[in-house]
Amino acid sequence: MSLSFKYDEHNKYHRFARSAIIAAASLTTFVIVWWFVAIMANMTALPTPIETWDAFISLLNDGDPLTGASLSTYLSKSFGTFLKGLALAVVIAVPLGLFLGFIKPLREFLNPIIEVLRPIAPIAWAPIFILSFGYQIGPSLVVFVGIFFPMLTNTIFGVQKLDPMLLDAARTMGANPLQLFRKVVLPSSVPYIMNGLKVGLGIGWMCIVAAELYATPLGGIGFYLQEQASAGNWPGAYSAIIIIAVLGLLTTSLAEYAHKAIAKRMGIE
């Protein structure tokens, strides 16, 4: 047992080291290609990585050169908007997806509506939501739409993939509908729900940046990107893009960690 545990631990660290090396090599290659293209293009609209890095350090230390706002101010506004949209999407998409996946007549009735709305780009709703609900709520609703549909469709798919024999076995043992949901349907759907969440988080960051381009009084990292590009400060604009990419990576990584932790706790790893 002890040797097996040590072997598993060794494999775990080996996989982690391998993934870290591959990630470092991939990112290094990306930076080198970026640097080469920037030098060959010789365009002010395409700064080098070092110019972008200097702009980020300047923002971090001295704040926005145009407004004086700090990086933490921009991030806190964007995170607040993002989290409100995320919370609303989770609260609505997961229960609705479970019901639609479990109740076929309801799914058949609502599916045409979902299929009509789902292909619409979330950013198309930005001017409508912002003008209708204001700068405080409108951008969060754009994020909500971006996260809602991936979570909804993945949750429905997760319920539909459930083995009917598990439901029959639970009913045979006397489980009522609530127990079926809590003990069978929900645990089996968790991997699909978390996959929808990971996809939705990436789309959510796209939505919040696009929404902040409309809702400029709200501020946020999207506003910073727009003002830097408008002023011709391209290193500052690219530093905003890098910040957004890092935020997306961190949130999706956090979702992946939560997925593994929840799956392990529920015994479905």
Side-chain angles (χ1 to χ4, degrees), residues 99 102 174-187:
F99 278 110
F102 193 66
N176 57 42
L178 180 61
Q179 290 172 327
L180 284 177
F181 261 89
R182 189 166 61 89
K183 295 292 187 179
V184 182
V185 177
L186 180 58

Side-chain angles (χ1 to χ4, degrees), residues 124-221:
W125 296 101
I128 298 174
F129 287 154
I130 292 170
L131 293 175
S132 300
F133 299 98
Y135 295 124
Q136 297 299 322
I137 300 176
S140 295
L141 293 178
V142 179
V143 176
F144 159 75
V145 172
I147 300 176
F148 173 78
F149 285 105
M151 289 203 68
L152 177 67
T153 53
N154 275 272
T155 302
I156 293 173
F157 182 73
V159 177
Q160 289 181 298
K161 292 288 289 183
L162 180 63
D163 188 349
M165 295 183 63
L166 294 177
L167 294 174
D168 292 338
R171 291 191 183 99
T172 301
M173 297 177 67
N176 57 42
L178 180 61
Q179 290 172 327
L180 284 177
F181 261 89
R182 189 166 61 89
K183 295 292 187 179
V184 182
V185 177
L186 180 58
S188 300
S189 303
V190 165
Y192 300 92
I193 294 172
M194 295 306 297
N195 185 61
L197 176 62
K198 287 186 288 185
V199 174
L201 287 174
I203 298 175
W205 279 111
M206 300 179 196
C207 293
I208 191 173
V209 172
E212 287 173 347
L213 297 179
Y214 286 94
T216 51
L218 183 64
I221 196 65

Side-chain angles (χ1 to χ4, degrees), residues 13-135:
Y13 290 122
H14 175 75
R15 290 193 299 269
F16 176 79
R18 182 176 180 275
S19 298
I21 292 172
I22 292 175
S26 176
L27 293 175
T28 301
T29 302
F30 170 75
V31 171
I32 292 173
V33 172
W34 174 11
W35 204 320
F36 175 78
V37 172
I39 293 175
M40 294 299 295
N42 193 25
M43 297 169 54
T44 56
L46 183 58
T48 63
I50 192 64
E51 291 173 327
T52 303
W53 175 256
D54 290 341
F56 169 73
I57 295 300
S58 175
L59 173 63
L60 185 63
N61 294 331
D62 306 322
D64 185 347
L66 299 179
T67 65
S70 65
L71 175 60
S72 60
T73 299
Y74 287 131
L75 292 180
S76 63
K77 291 181 178 180
S78 291
F79 262 113
T81 302
F82 181 83
L83 291 176
K84 285 188 287 186
L86 171 63
L88 186 61
V90 172
V91 168
I92 296 178
V94 173
L96 181 60
L98 291 172
F99 278 110
L100 292 181
F102 193 66
I103 305 174
K104 185 176 179 180
L106 182 61
R107 181 173 70 251
E108 291 175 337
F109 178 76
L110 293 180
N111 188 63
I113 301 175
I114 294 172
E115 291 304 314
V116 167
L117 296 177
R118 186 171 60 87
I120 301 174
I123 190 56
W125 296 101
I128 298 174
F129 287 154
I130 292 170
L131 293 175
S132 300
F133 299 98
Y135 295 124

